[in-house]
Amino acid sequence: IEISKMPDLNVRNLEENTLQKGKKRIRLPKFKPTDWSKIEIRFLNKRNVLITTDKKEITPTDYEALGFSDDKKNKPNTAWAFLFELSKNNGETSKLPKPIPDNIRQHKLSISQKLKAIFKNETEPFYDSTETQTYKIKIKLIPPQNEEGKEDIYGTQEYLKETMTEE
């Protein structure tokens, strides 16, 4: 059998959903291009999140899969801690000092770059800080909702609260 003509293989940017950290490659979760206002990131605890978009994609994942790991310490990096703290403060920092400290700007930049790659949205995921004097994210962030310190990694309690009509 002789193959005379191979159809063109349309491979769309395989690297599109990967981050390169040193020698390590991280495959990011795949989402369709999504508007920031239609994204919800629910922290189940300090390491795990549940991501929901307007397309009702529910993706449980952790900081490492989203590219927020500190490989030297094998734990979440400081940008993840920054995002976690934003979730506990309605997605906004307290008033920023002038000039904005370099480390805070770096955290915001790191978060922006990763979110843009994950959700295929090239617009800025934060509101303009010159107007608000704070960093305020356009994504809905929900802090962990655990009762009595129990870890609920699947968000079961929150789901039950949202869906139950009576006890």
Side-chain angles (χ1 to χ4, degrees):
I1 299 175
E2 184 180 327
I3 300 173
S4 58
K5 184 173 191 287
M6 279 291 285
D8 290 336
L9 188 58
N10 188 6
V11 179
R12 287 189 328 157
N13 202 356
L14 280 176
E15 300 300 309
E16 186 178 334
N17 262 46
T18 57
L19 280 178
Q20 188 75 32
K21 284 183 86 176
K23 294 179 181 178
K24 190 176 179 182
R25 276 182 190 232
I26 299 164
R27 290 210 183 278
L28 298 171
K30 292 185 179 187
F31 287 94
K32 293 176 176 72
T34 309
D35 188 64
W36 298 124
S37 64
K38 296 178 179 172
I39 300 169
E40 177 182 286
I41 299 177
R42 178 186 307 262
F43 282 84
L44 303 173
N45 53 40
K46 284 188 175 187
R47 296 172 170 254
N48 300 294
V49 293
L50 198 61
I51 301 172
T52 311
T53 65
D54 68 329
K55 310 281 188 266
K56 297 298 176 206
E57 295 177 61
I58 298 175
T59 307
T61 191
D62 65 0
Y63 70 91
E64 197 169 12
L66 296 172
F68 286 96
S69 67
D70 181 338
D71 296 330
K72 292 176 187 159
K73 297 178 182 174
N74 203 20
K75 63 181 192 176
N77 66 17
T78 50
W80 181 259
F82 187 83
L83 190 64
F84 182 75
E85 290 304 315
L86 280 175
S87 79
K88 293 179 356 184
N89 199 31
N90 293 326
E92 190 171 11
T93 63
S94 52
K95 189 169 176 149
L96 295 166
K98 289 200 182 217
I100 298 171
D102 217 28
N103 64 335
I104 293 174
R105 282 189 304 141
Q106 290 303 318
H107 294 331
K108 182 222 171 222
L109 180 65
S110 173
I111 291 167
S112 291
Q113 290 171 336
K114 287 178 178 80
L115 291 176
K116 286 177 182 180
I118 293 166
F119 296 105
K120 297 176 190 72
N121 184 335
E122 284 305 310
T123 63
E124 182 59 36
F126 286 87
Y127 292 102
D128 186 2
S129 63
T130 56
E131 294 174 15
T132 61
Q133 305 301 309
T134 63
Y135 283 145
K136 183 168 176 59
I137 198 160
K138 296 175 183 176
I139 293 172
K140 183 175 182 182
L141 296 177
I142 301 172
Q145 308 288 320
N146 49 351
E147 296 172 21
E148 300 144 22
K150 287 188 273 181
E151 192 170 319
D152 182 13
I153 62 167
Y154 299 111
T156 312
Q157 293 303 316
E158 189 65 25
Y159 174 77
L160 289 173
K161 281 180 191 171
E162 289 174 359
T163 56
M164 285 187 56
T165 55
E166 60 182 72
E167 286 190 31

